[in-house]
Amino acid sequence: MTTSVPPPGFPRNATDRTILALEAFLPYRLTRLTDAISRKFSQAYRARLGLTRPEWRTLATLGQFGTMTATDIGAHSSMHKTKVSRAVASLEERRWLLREPDAQDRRVERLTLSRVGQKAYEDMVPVAHGFETRLLARMEPEERAALLTGLEALERAALED
Amino acid sequence: MTTSVPPPGFPRNATDRTILALEAFLPYRLTRLTDAISRKFSQAYRARLGLTRPEWRTLATLGQFGTMTATDIGAHSSMHKTKVSRAVASLEERRWLLREPDAQDRRVERLTLSRVGQKAYEDMVPVAHGFETRLLARMEPEERAALLTGLEALERAALED
DNA sequence: TCGCCATGGTTACGGTTGCAACCAATTCGT
DNA sequence: ACGAATTGGTTGCAACCGTAACCATGGCGA
């Protein structure tokens, strides 16, 4: 019997390098936090109950930039092209989005929100801003500043190479 | 034509409240960051190529606490019971985990890592610690401190009600 | 100009997920 | 002490996802 499990009654403590404290492990904390926040946001934005996350992101990206190609949407919203493709198809079916062929390059489609899609976007934006504002309002000013500093640094550290 | 889309050439700027800057929207930033970090970690921990995230969490939780029930695992690792159920079944099939009936309550199963599972846990822990350490090492000390402060505050704000 | 690689986008497939329904064992109210 | 509500856990189903293969078009070198 050579395993290093502590015998019963021998507490495993947090600084023990043979144990991982899951609740303090950064990837886990981030996942948990992100899931909670996304879930709350999808509650705040009721329409999202019928809108998948890729669809929401596509709506948000087209609303932000106007006319784009599917590839552009993927690049800006960090989605794989298959996700974008399916989201575009579904938004088109909902009649929130229009495709038109590109005159220069016939592989490309120029995507634009329809009037109804634009309206949906305009309704969504204040909900999103309000959600974010209310969330941050629960923190102290110094905490908000710390969060932004820390997040920026972590983004740099995580996304750099 | 009453929609408020700016005409072409009229730039949409970031402080325009009718536009959402996706790349600055907290839920989006968190999702993107979390995805990137999780993906990197799953590369660092190669075995995870054959281990789903629920399975990894189950392994981590049992390694951290010893013997638990499926419900306990779900509570500690923020997983729905169906995820836990499937993860437990799969780890059992891998022979990393043992189930034994509970004498007091016959609905319950007491779950423990097998010797092989314990070994896998022990191999995984330093990889996880190393991953986290290297990630944080790319940040300045003040940035690390800011991140921890900000994360804690955001967790409080997001998980409180 | 012809052949080849790159690019934009869609689709087929297998695996993962969430939800609700379910079974069995336990607890609670009366 | 008994039926109803609760709890631990599993399963069926439909939706979703990632990967790879695919089709059509375009760009480029010889």
Side-chain angles (χ1 to χ4, degrees):
Chain A
M1 182 49 161
T2 59
T3 154
S4 62
V5 198
F10 192 101
R12 302 164 181 228
N13 77 66
T15 60
D16 185 345
R17 303 290 296 175
T18 70
I19 296 288
L20 180 70
L22 186 60
E23 69 280 2
F25 184 52
L26 196 53
Y28 171 75
R29 276 179 84 177
L30 283 172
T31 303
R32 180 177 140 83
L33 181 57
T34 299
D35 284 354
I37 290 179
S38 297
R39 205 170 36 250
K40 291 210 175 204
F41 177 59
S42 76
Q43 285 163 2
Y45 176 48
R46 281 323 190 81
R48 186 158 157 191
L49 293 178
L51 217 54
T52 65
R53 192 146 68 180
E55 286 159 18
W56 185 89
R57 282 194 192 181
T58 299
L59 176 70
T61 304
L62 283 177
Q64 182 177 0
F65 292 108
T67 298
M68 303 179 86
T69 70
T71 301
D72 293 340
I73 294 175
H76 187 258
S77 63
S78 315
M79 291 193 293
H80 186 84
K81 59 182 184 170
T82 62
K83 273 193 187 173
V84 178
S85 173
R86 294 192 253 243
V88 165
S90 141
L91 289 178
E92 185 188 28
E93 200 168 343
R94 215 181 258 257
R95 311 213 177 272
W96 282 13
L97 171 157
L98 301 167
R99 318 162 99 117
E100 51 174 336
D102 184 286
Q104 274 69 48
D105 184 340
R106 276 182 298 164
R107 291 171 305 182
V108 173
E109 291 178 325
R110 299 166 46 78
L111 306 169
T112 316
L113 292 183
S114 69
R115 196 163 317 186
V116 187
Q118 181 65 33
K119 179 65 168 56
Y121 178 72
E122 286 163 21
D123 290 345
M124 179 274 281
V125 168
V127 178
H129 278 135
F131 174 83
E132 187 177 48
T133 301
R134 277 194 307 281
L135 183 60
L136 293 174
R138 295 173 163 194
M139 301 169 56
E140 299 301 324
E142 321 82 63
E143 293 173 334
R144 277 197 292 278
L147 178 66
L148 296 187
T149 302
L151 268 191
E152 239 166 82
L154 186 56
E155 282 168 346
R156 211 184 355 85
L159 304 172
E160 71 184 15
D161 63 3
Chain B
M1 182 50 160
T2 58
T3 153
S4 64
V5 197
F10 192 101
R12 301 164 182 227
N13 78 65
T15 60
D16 184 344
R17 303 291 294 175
T18 70
I19 295 289
L20 181 70
L22 185 62
E23 68 281 2
F25 184 52
L26 195 54
Y28 170 74
R29 276 179 83 179
L30 283 172
T31 304
R32 179 177 141 82
L33 182 56
T34 300
D35 285 354
I37 289 178
S38 297
R39 204 168 39 248
K40 290 206 177 211
F41 177 59
S42 76
Q43 286 164 3
Y45 177 49
R46 282 319 191 84
R48 188 162 155 188
L49 292 177
L51 216 54
T52 65
R53 194 147 64 183
E55 285 160 18
W56 185 87
R57 282 195 192 180
T58 299
L59 175 71
T61 305
L62 284 176
Q64 182 177 359
F65 291 108
T67 299
M68 305 178 84
T69 70
T71 302
D72 294 339
I73 293 175
H76 187 258
S77 63
S78 315
M79 290 194 294
H80 188 83
K81 60 182 182 169
T82 61
K83 272 192 189 174
V84 177
S85 172
R86 294 192 252 244
V88 165
S90 143
L91 289 178
E92 185 189 28
E93 201 169 342
R94 215 180 260 255
R95 310 210 177 276
W96 284 12
L97 172 156
L98 301 167
R99 318 163 99 115
E100 51 175 335
D102 184 286
Q104 273 69 47
D105 185 341
R106 276 181 299 165
R107 290 171 304 182
V108 171
E109 292 177 326
R110 300 166 43 78
L111 306 169
T112 316
L113 292 183
S114 67
R115 196 163 316 186
V116 187
Q118 182 64 34
K119 179 64 169 56
Y121 178 73
E122 286 163 21
D123 290 346
M124 180 273 282
V125 168
V127 177
H129 278 135
F131 175 83
E132 187 177 48
T133 301
R134 277 194 306 282
L135 183 59
L136 293 173
R138 293 174 166 193
M139 300 168 57
E140 299 300 324
E142 320 83 61
E143 292 173 334
R144 277 196 292 277
L147 178 66
L148 296 187
T149 302
L151 269 190
E152 241 166 81
L154 186 56
E155 282 168 347
R156 209 182 358 81
L159 305 172
E160 73 183 14
D161 65 1

